Amino acid sequence: MWERVSSGNCSSLRPFTAWACFGAPLDLVTDDGADPEQVQKFRDAGVEVEVAATAP
């Protein structure tokens, strides 16, 4: 996950990690750069995962 950071006229992205408890059902949307093993862990836990392509 990425966090947008703005400073003056500049804006950039930096890694951002946070955890929170949510009730089921859960959906996760990630990009195709996600580690397939990590994605599978979410699927195994019952989370619906959608992987979006980042390149044509």
Side-chain angles (χ1 to χ4, degrees), residues 31-53:
D31 63 44
D32 57 5
D35 181 338
E37 290 181 11
Q38 295 299 317
V39 171
Q40 189 59 47
K41 289 179 184 180
F42 283 95
R43 288 184 170 136
D44 292 345
V47 176
E48 182 69 31
V49 181
E50 294 295 331
V51 179

Side-chain angles (χ1 to χ4, degrees), residues 10-21:
C10 297
S11 177
S12 63
L13 294 175
R14 70 178 178 194
F16 174 76
T17 302
W19 291 97
C21 293

